[in-house]
Amino acid sequence: GDIMAEGEGLLSVDYEVFGKVQGVFFRKYTQGEAKRLGLVGWVQNTSHGTVQGQIQGSTARVRELQNWLQKVGSPQSRISRAEFCNEKEITALEHKDFQILK
């Protein structure tokens, strides 16, 4: 079916992933998965050893990436938990693509 099904809203969610998620290509894999799902947003390392960012796209695809961030991650990562906040419906995507921020 259509990625943007009729009546399916757009969602924006902020996330932070805890565990062994730095130095394990977590950002690169997150970007790859987000692009595969057709999502936009960003990902970056924080100074306190976590990875954080924002994801935007169709609700179903955002849920898929949330699940991936909680359970899968990059092959070498060890995720202890993922936290999500500032979830809101948006009328248009606020990013052009999915970027890794330094």
Side-chain angles (χ1 to χ4, degrees):
D2 217 29
I3 288 180
M4 288 303 303
E6 187 89 44
E8 181 168 288
L10 295 173
L11 207 61
S12 176
V13 183
D14 295 347
Y15 63 88
E16 186 167 10
V17 187
F18 299 78
K20 185 190 172 199
V21 293
Q22 289 192 5
V24 291
F25 301 104
F26 199 92
R27 292 172 300 169
K28 183 171 179 282
Y29 275 85
T30 300
Q31 181 188 49
E33 188 68 10
K35 288 190 170 195
R36 187 183 73 79
L37 291 168
L39 298 171
V40 300
W42 52 273
V43 60
Q44 69 179 11
N45 285 340
T46 71
S47 58
H48 51 274
T50 66
V51 167
Q52 69 177 16
Q54 185 176 72
I55 42 181
Q56 295 185 347
S58 70
T59 302
R61 300 298 178 124
V62 168
R63 294 284 178 248
E64 281 190 60
L65 190 62
Q66 284 180 293
N67 185 63
W68 185 91
L69 287 166
Q70 285 175 296
K71 301 192 170 85
V72 185
S74 66
Q76 303 296 313
S77 66
R78 294 288 175 270
I79 301 164
S80 56
R81 73 183 191 281
E83 292 181 357
F84 303 100
C85 63
N86 299 327
E87 182 173 306
K88 60 181 187 288
E89 286 188 18
I90 53 175
T91 52
L93 299 174
E94 296 162 345
H95 310 282
K96 284 195 289 290
D97 53 15
F98 196 93
Q99 293 187 300
I100 296 174
L101 302 183
K102 295 290 177 262

